[in-house]
Amino acid sequence: MKKSLVFFVFFVQFSFSQNIGLYSQFNGRYDFTFVGNTLNPVENSFQTTPAVLTSSSATLALSNNDIIESAYLYWAGCGTGDFNVKLNGTDVLATRTFSNTLTQGQSFNFFSAFANVTTQVQATGNGTYTLSDLDVSSFVSLHA
């Protein structure tokens, strides 16, 4: 039997590094799984007109004997922040939020967010997970 931690990571348009700290500590032997996707329709450098999607999907495929100990959802994007999204149609409100402004001639707002989705992922298990209602479209033109 393998214990697993599941991380969902979704990024929009631009993401910048943040200071990080220990959130949880798991002692023992654990494997971990990252699944995620982007909300960019194409690679940033190939977008002639900047655009982002408002939903994206990723597939979780663990072995039958894996145990989900924890599952976390991370998302980020340009703008002042969209901290209320949906995962498979269920509302997810960020429990940790980060926002910042980068000034290089003009100001660029960006954010990231985190939520513990362990209960939902334990109940759902393997399958397709869709992040939706993440809308930063009003800020995209500012980052062109």
Side-chain angles (χ1 to χ4, degrees):
M1 172 172 33
K2 180 173 75 173
K3 297 179 183 177
S4 293
L5 307 174
V6 179
F7 298 90
F8 293 92
V9 182
F10 291 88
F11 291 99
V12 177
Q13 197 63 19
F14 294 96
S15 62
F16 299 92
S17 62
Q18 307 276 341
N19 291 330
I20 60 171
L22 179 64
Y23 177 74
S24 294
Q25 181 170 327
F26 298 90
N27 296 316
R29 297 181 62 157
Y30 287 87
D31 283 334
F32 62 91
T33 300
F34 280 94
V35 295
N37 205 349
T38 181
L39 287 110
N40 293 339
V42 296
E43 185 179 326
N44 285 344
S45 59
F46 294 111
Q47 288 192 29
T48 55
T49 303
V52 294
L53 306 171
T54 58
S55 69
S56 186
S57 298
T59 302
L60 176 63
L62 299 173
S63 298
N64 289 336
N65 60 345
D66 289 347
I67 297 170
I68 298 169
E69 293 288 333
S70 292
Y72 304 115
L73 175 64
Y74 293 88
W75 66 98
C78 59
T80 54
D82 185 349
F83 301 114
N84 189 7
V85 297
K86 292 182 188 273
L87 184 62
N88 284 2
T90 300
D91 287 329
V92 176
L93 181 62
T95 54
R96 298 177 71 199
T97 62
F98 309 91
S99 52
N100 209 335
T101 303
L102 172 67
T103 303
Q104 291 183 334
Q106 70 181 51
S107 295
F108 298 98
N109 296 312
F110 58 96
F111 74 96
S112 60
F114 164 91
N116 185 326
V117 292
T118 302
T119 303
Q120 181 179 1
V121 175
Q122 286 172 331
T124 304
N126 286 338
T128 301
Y129 285 82
T130 300
L131 177 86
S132 60
D133 287 3
L134 174 54
D135 188 6
V136 297
S137 58
S138 62
F139 295 95
V140 172
S141 64
L142 302 174
H143 292 265

